[in-house]
């Protein structure tokens, strides 16, 4: 498609941010406070998981893949944290209801649940133009040198923007996003979590991390510095995946996290909202024994659709 063709497509799809479309933003609500909205809570592939014949996936339960949106109604823009395989539904959940236009994407890492949604910006789908995609150096190189992602770059459907660990991106309106490195299986890219801050509030989003002890930082300090902490809750306990070696897919088990954070004051514990649930994780099911125990201990579980004022 020619450049002018792309331009025409971009004009036909005013929900895509880009230099052209940003100017045409409507529906902004000056003065309205920013917010973070949870767009999904499941591990990389969502629930149900392909091939699973157990009750966790055969009783009609549906959970989209873990992702957050930061919306700034005053400027009419929103930003996506991880482009998941459920991106079409997640985009539909944000637009047009939010009155905001997608202004960019922040990527944590190159595991399938966290970037596959980028394909929808391509010529076969939205034919987007210049959607900013912030990514760390290895993540950027991965997208630039592997199909079909390299085509998104070449056709300028997306515009890769650099992220550096512990260096903030200023989104305007007092909003800042800061990536920080976390230990994880980094086959294709490094892995980051994000600190999202407004003038008055802050949150962290850490959907994937190895054990807390393997991090060179204190998770407790990170939680102390924010109002909300969306943390890796992939597995509840080691009995969840019989026959699989959990050391190959290390995550802080929820039972371990609860044990570690139990000593924190109630105010700190209540900031923690587990997210990125594997289909087998009973804590993700409302009313389960595991969920009730978690809530009794003062923790929360993220919920798709919930909004946190920022
Ligand atoms: Zn993941
Ligand atoms: Zn299942
Ligand atoms: Zn991962």
């Amino acid at each position: 498609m020619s450049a002018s063709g792309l331009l025409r497509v971009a004009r036909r799809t005013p929900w895509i941010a880009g230099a052209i479309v940003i100017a045409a933003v409507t529906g902004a609500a000056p003065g309205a406070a920013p917010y973070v909205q949870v767009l999904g809570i499941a591990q990389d592939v969502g629930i149900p998981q392909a091939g699973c014949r157990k009750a966790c996936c055969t009783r009609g339960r549906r959970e989209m893949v873990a992702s957050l949106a930061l919306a700034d109604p005053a400027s009419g823009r929103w930003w996506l944290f991880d482009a998941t395989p459920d991106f079409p539904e997640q985009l539909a959940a944000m637009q047009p209801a939010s009155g905001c236009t997608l202004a960019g994407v922040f990527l944590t890492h190159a595991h399938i649940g966290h970037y596959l949604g980028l394909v929808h910006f391509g010529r076969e789908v939205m034919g987007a133009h210049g959607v900013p995609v912030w990514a760390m150096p290895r993540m950027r190189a991965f997208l630039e040198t592997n199909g079909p992602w390299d085509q998104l770059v070449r056709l300028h459907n997306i515009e890769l923007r650099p992220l550096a660990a512990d260096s903030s991106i200023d989104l305007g309106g007092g909003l800042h996003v800061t990536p920080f490195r976390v230990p994880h299986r980094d086959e294709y890219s490094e892995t980051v979590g994000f600190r999202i801050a407004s003038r008055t509030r802050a949150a962290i989003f850490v959907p994937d991390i190895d054990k807390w002890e393997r991090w060179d930082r204190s998770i407790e300090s990170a939680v102390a510095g924010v109002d909300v902490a969306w943390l890796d809750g992939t597995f509840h306990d080691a009995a969840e995946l019989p026959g699989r070696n959990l050391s190959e897919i290390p995550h802080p088990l929820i039972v371990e996290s609860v044990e570690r954070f139990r000593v924190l004051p109630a105010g700190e514990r209540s900031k923690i909202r587990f997210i990125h649930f594997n289909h087998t994780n009973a804590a993700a099911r409302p009313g389960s024994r595991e969920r009730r125990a978690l809530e009794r201990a003062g923790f929360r579980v993220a919920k798709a659709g919930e909004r946190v004022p920022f």
Side-chain angles (χ1 to χ4, degrees):
M1 191 184 292
S2 68
S4 63
L6 279 171
L7 202 71
R8 277 200 304 280
V9 171
R11 281 191 176 129
R12 283 204 306 272
T13 51
W15 52 87
I16 308 165
I20 318 150
V21 230
I22 278 176
V25 166
T26 54
Y35 60 89
V36 172
Q37 182 165 329
V38 176
L39 298 180
I41 65 162
Q43 187 260 7
D44 294 44
V45 292
I47 300 168
Q49 176 164 316
C52 179
R53 296 184 192 166
K54 291 184 287 191
C56 48
C57 295
T58 54
R59 293 191 177 162
R61 187 166 65 120
R62 168 80 175 121
E63 291 289 356
M64 289 188 281
V65 178
S67 171
L68 300 181
L70 167 65
D72 180 25
S75 70
R77 297 179 298 161
W78 73 279
W79 295 268
L80 177 68
F81 292 83
D82 278 344
T84 82
D86 291 321
F87 174 70
E89 280 174 77
Q90 293 173 325
L91 180 66
M94 280 305 286
Q95 291 176 182
S98 66
C100 295
T101 299
L102 179 58
V105 182
F106 289 86
L107 299 178
T108 57
H109 65 302
H111 283 158
I112 59 172
H114 303 266
Y115 74 100
L116 286 195
L118 293 177
V119 287
H120 298 282
F121 293 123
R123 59 170 23 153
E124 300 91 339
V125 192
M126 294 168 78
H129 183 78
V131 178
V133 174
W134 282 274
M136 294 289 286
R138 277 185 69 203
M139 182 78 225
R140 281 205 314 281
F142 175 82
L143 296 171
E144 283 165 343
T145 55
N146 289 283
W149 323 107
D150 59 337
Q151 191 176 58
L152 300 176
V153 176
R154 224 171 36 248
L155 297 182
H156 304 288
N157 302 121
I158 63 173
E159 186 187 299
L160 292 176
R161 302 215 179 155
L163 281 180
D166 305 313
S167 173
S168 289
I169 303 295
D170 184 347
L171 298 177
L175 298 174
H176 290 87
V177 173
T178 313
F180 50 86
R181 292 286 305 269
V182 295
H184 188 45
R185 295 174 292 112
D186 291 346
E187 301 97 330
Y188 298 115
S189 76
E190 59 284 86
T191 302
V192 294
F194 287 110
R195 186 174 195 277
I196 307 166
S198 70
R199 291 194 179 97
T200 55
R201 311 257 296 169
I204 49 171
F205 178 47
V206 186
D208 265 296
I209 187 168
D210 289 355
K211 307 288 183 188
W212 300 121
E213 311 75 84
R214 292 193 201 164
W215 196 19
D216 59 2
R217 297 186 184 183
S218 149
I219 179 60
E220 288 82 0
S221 305
V223 172
V226 296
D227 302 283
V228 180
W230 282 284
L231 301 185
D232 184 337
T234 309
F235 300 114
H236 181 265
D237 57 68
E240 215 168 295
L241 290 182
R244 281 198 72 174
N245 183 357
L246 277 186
S247 68
E248 287 170 9
I249 36 174
H251 289 273
L253 302 175
I254 285 185
V255 287
E256 294 169 347
S257 294
V258 165
E259 195 52 40
R260 177 171 175 138
F261 300 141
R262 190 181 290 282
V263 296
L264 296 176
E268 292 298 290
R269 276 179 276 138
S270 70
K271 294 175 179 178
I272 295 172
R273 305 181 187 203
F274 291 102
I275 197 165
H276 193 267
F277 296 99
N278 199 56
H279 62 123
T280 52
N281 190 331
R285 284 202 301 278
S288 68
R289 186 168 46 84
E290 292 82 353
R291 171 72 155 265
R292 288 200 306 272
L294 194 63
E295 289 171 345
R296 264 201 313 275
F299 303 95
R300 301 190 206 184
V301 163
K303 190 173 172 2
E306 71 180 340
R307 280 186 184 186
V308 176
F310 242 58

